[in-house]
Amino acid sequence: MSIEIAEQPDALAATFEHVLPLRDQITRLAAGRRHVLFVARGSSDNACVYGRYLTEIHAGRQASLAAPSVATLYGANLDLSNTLVVCVSQSGATQEIVDTAEWAKRNGAAVVGITNHDDSPLVSTADVALITQAGKELAVPATKTYTTQLAAITVAVDALANKPGTLDADIARVPEVAAKALELDVDVAAALLAGAHDVLASGRGLTFGTTLEVALKLEETCLQPVRGLSYADLKHGPIAVVDSDLVTILVAAPSGPALPGLIELAGTVREKGSKILGIGGDSTFAGRCDVALPGPDLPETLAPLTLIIPAQLTIEALARRLGLDPDAPRGLRKVTQTD
């Protein structure tokens, strides 16, 4: 896992080099289609949460996350003639995702596939396939496959914008920013989490997918149940569970409309006695946290592409601190088949 985390700058650069030339194909494929439907599971689904927000905010098209069982269990017939379906699978061989892609095409959708394997069933099904360039990932927890999926999703969504290419200058900086994130010292962050009785993760908007991925990585790598919540949801009922036994992880972009709310939330959970691990944000946000890991120098629209790296480093270090094997968590396999 540690080696694969370190490979992300090169993997991101290679992925952008490979998929950016296909942007025009997606623009043509999506012509006349106003809705975007993302299909995925696990870490790929967290990447699609980012894709959903980016589609509506950057491209101005309605987007949603699919419930694959609508296709695979219920066989519902939907009119998808106005829909671009984006199916994301690391292996491209998860049968549920492939079956949903085939179902979408039968119902009139155009399909974009995002996978790391160019000889996979998903590639055969898709109208356009974006092949991530992560290389073989041996550790069970997805790291470089997750961030390269984010890169491919960024290109696919930018293809839907009124003026594709407006993100390109910042896209070019992503590998360098990722490399800088690898220099972080995360020992204090890992120690904070090691002493936690319970952990809760929260964020909002474009970084909410990152929040969910942080929670998932803690669960699968460190065997620690973690809830990932939008801060809007946390402020309703779940805020009642926040106390001194709980460490709150707050995930924030360096700027944007969600940041003030997360700064306010940091004050609220501190008043309830919770320690805070902050990932990203600005100096004011960091000042509200007990431990703060700096995020990327990128606009909010692209921050999620590297914002997960401080968390990946922390979680890998935490697993080793707890005497666990981060490369092969108990009871998990690399490819999970569902129905």
Side-chain angles (χ1 to χ4, degrees):
M1 183 176 177
S2 178
I3 291 171
E4 289 167 358
I5 291 171
E7 291 173 348
Q8 288 177 113
D10 289 342
L12 283 163
T15 296
F16 279 125
E17 182 179 2
H18 188 77
V19 303
L20 275 168
L22 301 176
R23 183 166 51 191
D24 288 346
Q25 290 187 33
I26 298 173
T27 300
R28 292 192 295 271
L29 180 67
R33 299 175 185 268
R34 297 302 306 170
H35 183 71
V36 180
L37 184 65
F38 289 93
V39 179
R41 290 290 190 194
S43 286
S44 300
D45 200 40
N46 295 335
C48 288
V49 171
Y50 163 69
R52 176 191 176 185
Y53 279 98
L54 190 68
T55 301
E56 298 192 339
I57 294 167
H58 175 64
R61 302 197 192 194
Q62 184 185 16
S64 60
L65 303 177
S69 62
V70 171
T72 60
L73 295 183
Y74 296 99
N77 292 316
L78 303 181
D79 181 359
L80 298 178
S81 58
N82 193 35
T83 304
L84 178 73
V85 172
V86 181
C87 296
V88 186
S89 167
Q90 182 270 334
S91 66
T94 299
Q95 197 60 49
E96 180 187 34
I97 305 304
V98 175
D99 288 348
T100 303
E102 294 172 346
W103 164 86
K105 290 190 77 171
R106 289 195 303 270
N107 283 277
V111 175
V112 172
I114 296 177
T115 179
N116 197 39
H117 295 273
D118 60 6
D119 58 351
S120 63
L122 181 58
V123 170
S124 300
T125 301
D127 297 294
V128 175
L130 302 182
I131 310 301
T132 57
Q133 303 297 299
K136 191 169 185 179
E137 189 173 64
L138 299 178
V140 171
T143 54
K144 61 181 180 174
T145 60
Y146 173 75
T147 51
T148 55
Q149 284 174 353
L150 293 176
I153 287 171
T154 299
V155 173
V157 172
D158 189 49
L160 310 179
N162 289 333
K163 294 182 179 180
T166 59
L167 300 178
D168 285 2
D170 288 313
I171 282 175
R173 298 194 299 114
V174 167
E176 176 186 351
V177 173
K180 185 175 181 180
L182 294 173
E183 300 172 2
L184 290 174
D185 184 342
V186 298
D187 286 347
V188 176
L192 177 64
L193 292 176
H197 184 270
D198 294 297
V199 178
L200 177 72
S202 187
R204 196 174 188 188
L206 284 156
T207 65
F208 183 50
T210 309
T211 303
L212 297 175
E213 179 65 7
V214 170
L216 175 60
K217 283 291 165 288
L218 274 168
E219 289 183 326
E220 67 183 2
T221 308
C222 299
L223 310 182
Q224 187 168 19
V226 182
R227 290 191 72 184
L229 291 170
S230 163
Y231 77 63
D233 289 324
L234 175 58
K235 284 183 174 181
H236 284 76
I239 195 71
V241 306
V242 176
D243 58 23
S244 58
D245 289 331
L246 181 132
V247 171
T248 303
I249 302 174
L250 298 181
V251 182
S255 60
L259 181 56
L262 283 161
I263 293 172
E264 179 186 352
L265 179 61
T268 300
V269 299
R270 288 198 76 172
E271 289 174 0
K272 291 179 171 291
S274 175
K275 297 288 187 182
I276 302 170
L277 169 58
I279 301 174
D282 61 5
S283 58
T284 302
F285 174 79
R288 298 284 182 95
C289 301
D290 295 280
V291 177
L293 298 175
D297 176 24
L298 288 168
E300 184 186 19
T301 48
L302 294 178
L305 274 70
T306 65
L307 186 58
I308 189 63
I309 293 176
Q312 292 172 343
L313 293 168
T314 300
I315 291 164
E316 197 275 343
L318 174 62
R320 296 194 182 280
R321 184 182 285 263
L322 297 175
L324 301 171
D325 181 0
D327 301 334
R330 182 181 68 199
L332 297 180
R333 295 181 298 173
K334 191 63 182 172
V335 178
T336 302
Q337 297 291 2
T338 56
D339 59 6

